[in-house]
Amino acid sequence: QVQLVQSGGGLAQAGDSLRLSCAASGRRLNNYVVGWFRQAPGKEREFVAAIFRSGGSTFYEDSVKGRFIMSRDNAKNTVFLQMNSLKPEDTAVYYCAADAHLILSSVRRSDQYDYWGQGTQVTVSS
């Protein structure tokens, strides 16, 4: 079993950058697919980005492509989401999630992830 603890986030202005961290304990995170999801008030949780186990291939939702960068630090057993050029519509609670058995076609499905971080608020003002 893996435990995920998130940090980062907070308040930002449009155009600013923030970095989210998702630190794991209990297992090596590089053996898991790790995804980032977000949920805005009154909306469903949506996929943001994911990083795959082997080779660290990354996948992004179209709305964040070119602005957000997901990466791993295996030595720290941590995954990061660097968020650049933030927009007010990026405002949401962000969650990291992990799963050991996820296949490529399912990385965008939140119901396929077994382990979740506690969530962190990101608020972007215009």
Side-chain angles (χ1 to χ4, degrees):
Q1 189 165 349
V2 61
Q3 293 80 41
L4 303 176
V5 177
Q6 297 178 223
S7 60
L11 299 175
Q13 292 189 329
D16 284 353
S17 297
L18 288 173
R19 189 175 78 160
L20 304 182
S21 300
C22 177
S25 61
R27 293 288 188 272
R28 296 302 306 172
L29 201 54
N30 58 344
N31 293 324
Y32 290 74
V33 174
V34 181
W36 285 97
F37 292 81
R38 64 188 181 187
Q39 188 165 18
K43 295 187 176 181
E44 292 188 354
R45 191 168 297 187
E46 66 173 4
F47 171 78
V48 176
I51 190 165
F52 230 65
R53 305 173 206 83
S54 303
S57 297
T58 51
F59 307 89
Y60 299 95
E61 182 59 36
D62 286 346
S63 63
V64 307
K65 204 172 291 184
R67 299 188 297 122
F68 289 12
I69 301 170
M70 191 170 178
S71 63
R72 290 184 189 271
D73 185 330
N74 292 332
K76 295 182 178 179
N77 210 25
T78 299
V79 169
F80 302 98
L81 183 68
Q82 177 68 40
M83 304 185 294
N84 302 318
S85 302
L86 283 163
K87 303 177 181 181
E89 51 263 43
D90 294 320
T91 295
V93 177
Y94 283 71
Y95 299 89
C96 65
D99 192 90
H101 307 293
L102 214 57
I103 59 176
L104 180 59
S105 60
S106 298
V107 292
R108 290 175 168 79
R109 293 181 55 182
S110 60
D111 63 338
Q112 297 296 298
Y113 289 78
D114 281 342
Y115 306 105
W116 288 83
Q118 80 277 18
T120 186
Q121 178 71 45
V122 171
T123 303
V124 184
S125 60
S126 57

